[in-house]
Amino acid sequence: MAEATRTEAAKVTSIFVYPIKSCRGISVPQAPLASTGFRWDRQWLVVNSKGRAYTQRVEPKLALVQVELPDEAFAESWKPAKNSYLASQIRPVETEYAHGYNVMFPDGYPFLLLSQGSMDALNKLLKEPIPVNRFRPNILVDGCEPFVEDLWKELRINQLTFYGVKLCSRCKVPTINQENAVAGSEPTETLVKFRSDRVLRPTGKQQGKVYFGQNLVCKDSLTGGKEKIIKVGDPVFVLKAVPSCADAAA
């Protein structure tokens, strides 16, 4: 693993939190960290009276549900659908890739980082460009080469240390238009051609997955002390990187 130069590698251009899993995200100018990721991020999950979870994978219209930044009484005021309620829990991340970290309802890890360069590179290949909300990142950065975030293993934002632990494998949600909840074949159809495990790791185990974005954990989220905040405009410093995607976990 190479020691990267400690000059600014990128800059935070957007921060998103998603208080209810699969519902619309909220763009914020700054976000405080909790032990499970950004405060309020994917803190709740919609379940029915039988305890079955609802996400966009089974109910795409959740993409149309807009929520405001919540408070502690938020779950009690949830009334958008009959016979549904909000559940909350804390669970560990995959210990194969990171130890001692917890999440609430992200699919795997506390933070998802994506670069604007990667979005631009993908959109050049699509007949109809798509917005970043298809990928539901927490941290969007700009000023770096496309897909270089794949290689970042240790980075620092506002004096906080993050570790890139696993490339983000994508489910069907990026194929759902977040403005009308209609699903299509893109961008997955295009991503398969250049972001699949077959392409990124031709000699590795093939799982039929496509990857877009880097999952992160934050070392400093495990410690107490003063409030820790990430802000739009914060520079990103890469401290360690791997030379190729073949060396990045997925």
Side-chain angles (χ1 to χ4, degrees):
M1 188 179 298
E3 291 283 339
T5 58
R6 301 200 178 196
T7 56
E8 182 178 322
K11 193 177 294 288
V12 176
T13 53
S14 295
I15 297 171
F16 304 96
V17 294
Y18 309 85
I20 303 175
K21 184 178 179 68
S22 281
C23 294
R24 283 192 175 178
I26 304 169
S27 178
V28 295
Q30 63 182 38
L33 274 64
S35 61
T36 56
F38 284 137
R39 186 182 299 167
W40 306 120
D41 185 54
R42 296 172 175 93
Q43 182 160 341
W44 290 283
L45 174 72
V46 181
V47 298
N48 66 14
S49 58
K50 296 181 179 180
R52 181 190 178 193
Y54 281 118
T55 70
Q56 285 190 41
R57 290 187 278 266
V58 296
E59 185 46 80
K61 288 185 178 179
L62 282 171
L64 308 180
V65 178
Q66 179 72 59
V67 298
E68 302 298 327
L69 278 177
D71 56 25
E72 296 295 347
F74 174 74
E76 297 180 4
S77 65
W78 171 258
K79 304 295 180 185
K82 187 177 181 180
N83 297 325
S84 72
Y85 63 96
L86 296 182
S88 185
Q89 71 174 27
I90 294 177
R91 57 193 174 86
V93 304
E94 296 175 277
T95 55
E96 180 181 356
Y97 299 99
H99 295 273
Y101 295 91
N102 294 311
V103 292
M104 299 192 82
F105 290 111
D107 281 346
Y109 298 89
F111 306 93
L112 175 61
L113 180 144
L114 183 62
S115 76
Q116 186 63 50
S118 299
M119 279 299 307
D120 293 343
L122 172 61
N123 277 328
K124 287 178 181 178
L125 301 175
L126 297 175
K127 292 181 179 178
E128 295 184 10
I130 59 173
V132 72
N133 65 6
R134 291 285 193 101
F135 295 100
R136 302 174 69 81
N138 295 113
I139 303 170
L140 182 68
V141 302
D142 199 4
C144 57
E145 293 296 316
F147 307 109
V148 73
E149 66 269 26
D150 294 353
L151 312 179
W152 295 349
K153 301 306 294 179
E154 183 177 342
L155 52 149
R156 188 162 295 154
I157 307 174
N158 195 23
Q159 302 302 311
L160 304 174
T161 300
F162 292 82
Y163 299 117
V165 294
K166 188 176 184 290
L167 300 186
C168 184
S169 59
R170 309 309 309 213
C171 62
K172 68 174 285 186
V173 171
T175 67
I176 300 171
N177 186 317
Q178 300 294 294
E179 305 306 319
N180 59 23
V182 175
S185 62
E186 293 289 12
T188 300
E189 190 173 281
T190 295
L191 287 172
V192 165
K193 299 174 183 177
F194 76 113
R195 295 292 300 173
S196 67
D197 44 15
R198 177 177 58 83
V199 175
L200 297 179
R201 296 184 182 82
T203 62
K205 181 180 178 181
Q206 304 300 301
Q207 304 178 70
K209 295 181 178 181
V210 296
Y211 301 92
F212 203 74
Q214 174 74 271
N215 287 302
L216 306 177
V217 297
C218 179
K219 180 180 73 172
D220 300 285
S221 69
L222 302 178
T223 61
K226 66 178 183 179
E227 188 173 55
K228 305 168 181 67
I229 294 176
I230 297 295
K231 303 183 295 294
V232 170
D234 280 345
V236 178
F237 299 94
V238 177
L239 307 184
K240 294 181 180 178
V242 293
S244 72
C245 278
D247 302 297

